[in-house]
Amino acid sequence: MANKVWAYIDQFKGAATPASWEAVAVARTLANQIGGGVTAVILGSGVEGLAQTAFHYGADEVLLADDPALADYRVDSYASTLVAAAKVGSPAVILFPTNTRGREVAGLAAMDLESGVIPDVTEIVLEGEQVVATRPVYAGKLLAKVVCSARPQMVTLRVRAFGKPEMDASRSGTVTKIAAVTDGDKVKVTGYSESEGRLSLTDAGVIVSGGRGTSNRADLQPPDDITDEKQKEIWRAQQGFKLIGELAQTLGAALGASRAAVDAGYIPYSHQVGQTGKVVSPDLYIACGISGAIQHQAGMRSSKVIVAINKDAEAPIFKLARYGVVGDLYDILPALTKAMKERLGK
Amino acid sequence: MKIVVCVKQVPDTAAKVAVEGGKVTWGDAPLVINPWDEYAVEAALQAAEKGGGTVTAISLGAEEAKEALKHALAMGCAEAVLVNDPALAELDTQGASRVLAAAIRKVGGVDLAVFGKQAIDGDSGVTAAQTARVLGWPAATLLASLSLESGTLKGERAMEEGRQRVEAALPAVASIVKDYGEPRYPSFMGIRKAAKAEIPAWTLADLGIPTPAAAVMWKEIMNPPARQITNEMITGSSPEEIANKLADKIMEEKVL
């Protein structure tokens, strides 16, 4: 446990989130500079199998707390278990993936260890053992260079910001079992009320998003039983989102939306990209019928390749776009879905 | 039932935030209550209305943060408290949590402390959970629904993979996400009441705690580098022609 660089493996129902391996790979890079190996911390129930994968991505040692009491994610126990291990091992740095769980476990552990957390980091430079982390603030309108003077430095890494981690199946390491600390368990998990399995926006490599433009097709005639004007508008928007969904399915992409589309009731909030939605950085972002308000740009401007399809040639989204099409998404999307299917052999 | 809601004053989401001379500026854009916190105020008010109780809004900040508190009062909070101390200027999230926890203790007899998901300036999203840890209370975070029944909080926690149903004994800390439902607009009567409200200001001495040392510091703040892109408009005589040209470009980018 003498390694100075640790990575926290986030898992949900026994499956590690892909961003956890990004954390291990970045930990490997840091350890190569600081010296010593990489310790990966795996907490959960029936999660021993994740240790091999952690070795493949660059860990030398795994600290494993495998206990039925850790079966469901519960922040207090997870944080307490990590804190107990960190008090023994005294790492200089612990890296976490930035997601709902990683942020919290890091945040709580920072309190107990009387250190600090630097959340949602996109770049790391080392000065000796001091991490100088760059993170977007004001929803990416600005960047801050942030340091933590205490130890361990708890850093959560923005998903997909550090590139694809490399795997070497010949690597191996040692597993050390540690005890789960569950006495502080305060929030009980009583079940799950929404099915999992949907591709999450933050993990997605490709996102196709829709905006107000989805309802912008007046000649589409809703069924006769829809008489309310607002409901007619929502019905039209849903036809637009169907076309967006078909392209998304062809590309294996997640479905996004602008705040305007969410606020107008076209699509649930969980799809919202932007300052008060999800901040994403996929390799490909296709914005359909989205004008590109500053709040939306804040959520997607770090995407690698941006494609914009909009009827309005003056829409600000075109300033961000690598490729722009001035046209109606109702005309372009079916043709684009077909063209992509041909090229992808689907 | 006594409920506290913690709110922050931030530049409006539409503000063009930039760094000038090493300082963050937002032109003449207004300072507003953090948008995420409006959902927290709504959840706190609904819980108080259903369970019979009052809501106290707390903010850390300088004198101008009173505007965020007035918005919370106008929405229906009964009281507001500003924690204002020159020593708070260098606070990190850990320190903010320790100060908020002390303020919640000073209010006294609090059953539930509600937070927004994160503040849109620092974008840290850890203060709710950290405050819970200081208080030793359960952290029921990122709730899309919240109900209180005989001393127990029940809610649905929004995670990337779906929703987790959680329960915790009061007193507890909750943070609220947008799925909870639209926050109410301040009423005319509420605005009048808020305009006249006396908002007490507490110092660290009032809270009886020392200045928390900041572990995390912003060394430098800068404008992001301009996006280096060559913009290419795809045109053609038919949607099919445009789609085929665009599809070729997408394939060339090797992003699939």
Side-chain angles (χ1 to χ4, degrees):
Chain A
M1 287 219 266
N3 291 327
K4 285 180 176 166
V5 185
W6 288 19
Y8 173 83
I9 307 303
D10 171 64
Q11 54 82 21
F12 180 70
K13 295 195 168 182
T17 47
S20 299
W21 309 130
E22 296 169 19
V24 175
V26 175
R28 182 77 254 160
T29 311
L30 298 190
N32 289 347
Q33 292 175 57
I34 290 177
V38 170
T39 295
V41 182
I42 301 177
L43 314 178
S45 176
V47 290
E48 194 165 359
L50 299 179
Q52 278 307 322
T53 318
F55 298 140
H56 294 167
Y57 280 106
D60 302 287
E61 177 194 36
V62 161
L63 298 181
L64 174 72
D66 201 333
D67 193 311
L70 298 175
D72 281 305
Y73 166 72
R74 43 201 74 217
V75 65
D76 282 293
S77 300
Y78 277 50
S80 297
T81 306
L82 175 65
V83 165
K87 280 183 176 165
V88 177
S90 304
V93 186
I94 310 180
L95 302 180
F96 302 74
T98 304
N99 59 16
T100 53
R101 294 175 293 267
R103 261 188 213 250
E104 274 186 13
V105 173
L108 292 200
M111 298 308 287
D112 287 21
L113 295 166
E114 297 195 2
S115 184
V117 59
I118 310 179
D120 205 18
V121 165
T122 54
E123 203 183 320
I124 289 180
V125 176
L126 278 178
E127 290 174 4
E129 289 183 12
Q130 177 75 58
V131 169
V132 181
T134 301
R135 60 180 301 256
V137 293
Y138 295 88
K141 291 173 187 172
L142 302 179
L143 295 177
K145 278 196 177 165
V146 186
V147 294
C148 175
S149 58
R151 296 290 179 273
Q153 306 162 85
M154 323 281 280
V155 180
T156 85
L157 306 180
R158 176 171 288 192
V159 179
R160 304 175 52 76
F162 289 83
K164 213 175 157 79
E166 282 186 27
M167 194 171 178
D168 176 356
S170 69
R171 287 185 49 97
S172 65
T174 56
V175 176
T176 307
K177 295 205 171 165
I178 57 171
V181 181
T182 55
D183 52 1
D185 215 4
K186 299 186 182 77
V187 179
K188 287 185 194 64
V189 178
T190 57
Y192 294 87
S193 57
E194 201 174 90
S195 63
E196 304 95 40
R198 194 179 63 212
L199 181 57
S200 97
L201 277 171
T202 27
D203 288 329
V206 182
I207 295 173
V208 190
S209 278
R212 281 300 286 247
T214 51
S215 64
N216 219 341
R217 185 82 175 204
D219 58 342
L220 268 179
Q221 208 39 53
D224 290 343
D225 58 329
I226 301 177
T227 52
D228 180 64
E229 281 307 315
K230 178 72 196 167
Q231 291 307 314
K232 284 184 182 174
E233 176 192 332
I234 291 176
W235 182 87
R236 285 195 185 95
Q238 285 166 347
Q239 309 317 304
F241 270 104
K242 256 184 218 162
L243 302 178
I244 291 168
E246 283 160 14
L247 178 61
Q249 201 179 2
T250 303
L251 301 178
L255 189 61
S258 70
R259 175 177 160 180
V262 170
D263 286 354
Y266 299 169
I267 185 163
Y269 166 66
S270 55
H271 295 276
Q272 186 179 320
V273 171
Q275 189 162 14
T276 53
K278 299 213 166 59
V279 177
V280 299
S281 44
D283 295 327
L284 174 63
Y285 188 91
I286 305 182
C288 310
I290 291 177
S291 64
I294 187 166
Q295 295 94 330
H296 188 74
Q297 293 191 15
M300 45 67 78
R301 60 175 294 141
S302 62
S303 307
K304 203 165 146 200
V305 176
I306 295 170
V307 175
I309 300 169
N310 202 296
K311 269 163 108 168
D312 176 10
E314 303 299 314
I317 192 80
F318 285 121
K319 291 203 176 72
L320 284 185
R322 172 72 184 89
Y323 301 108
V325 174
V326 179
D328 189 335
L329 65 94
Y330 279 87
D331 299 327
I332 304 295
L333 285 183
L336 184 59
T337 301
K338 183 167 170 281
M340 290 310 301
K341 272 187 180 158
E342 286 165 10
R343 282 159 183 79
L344 297 168
K346 288 188 181 175
Chain B
M1 172 99 51
K2 216 167 181 178
I3 298 173
V4 158
V5 62
C6 297
V7 300
K8 190 174 184 185
Q9 178 100 324
V10 296
D12 187 72
T13 56
K16 283 211 159 64
V17 182
V19 175
E20 280 168 30
K23 286 211 163 133
V24 181
T25 62
W26 44 83
D28 52 8
L31 284 165
V32 297
I33 183 170
N34 175 42
W36 297 108
D37 296 345
E38 291 186 62
Y39 299 93
V41 175
E42 180 61 37
L45 290 171
Q46 283 192 28
E49 285 156 7
K50 278 178 199 140
T54 57
V55 180
T56 301
I58 299 180
S59 189
L60 305 188
E63 185 69 19
E64 74 260 16
K66 279 190 178 172
E67 292 309 311
L69 290 170
K70 283 186 178 169
H71 188 96
L73 287 169
M75 285 175 74
C77 293
E79 288 172 35
V81 177
L82 179 70
V83 181
N84 183 2
D85 193 305
L88 299 180
E90 297 294 315
L91 222 52
D92 63 8
T93 63
Q94 288 71 226
S97 305
R98 292 192 170 101
V99 175
L100 284 169
I104 290 164
R105 283 200 189 108
K106 185 172 163 69
V107 169
V110 174
D111 300 288
L112 177 69
V114 191
F115 289 71
K117 175 183 180 255
Q118 66 190 60
I120 61 160
D121 49 1
D123 283 328
S124 293
V126 293
T127 307
Q130 290 187 325
T131 305
R133 195 72 165 184
V134 180
L135 290 165
W137 295 2
T141 50
L142 306 173
L143 298 185
S145 69
L146 165 69
S147 64
L148 305 177
E149 288 166 36
S150 50
T152 302
L153 173 155
K154 291 184 179 178
E156 285 187 322
R157 188 170 186 282
M159 299 195 298
E160 287 80 2
E161 296 83 0
R163 287 187 184 174
Q164 191 184 40
R165 277 199 302 277
V166 294
E167 277 184 27
L170 299 180
V173 167
S175 76
I176 305 294
V177 296
K178 193 173 170 177
D179 312 61
Y180 181 85
E182 281 303 297
R184 66 194 67 186
Y185 287 104
S187 66
F188 179 67
M189 287 300 289
I191 293 167
R192 281 184 54 175
K193 199 182 117 220
K196 280 187 260 170
E198 289 283 324
I199 298 178
W202 292 348
T203 61
L204 290 180
D206 293 326
L207 297 180
I209 57 166
T211 306
V216 174
M217 278 156 294
W218 291 17
K219 268 179 75 173
E220 195 187 337
I221 179 97
M222 56 211 155
N223 295 307
R227 217 184 133 79
Q228 296 293 331
I229 51 153
T230 324
N231 184 272
E232 189 177 336
M233 298 307 287
I234 311 283
T235 54
S237 56
S238 69
E240 287 70 28
E241 189 189 339
I242 294 170
N244 277 310
K245 281 188 190 170
L246 179 57
D248 286 337
K249 296 287 185 188
I250 290 172
M251 296 306 290
E252 281 168 27
E253 292 284 349
K254 302 205 182 307
V255 285
L256 290 173

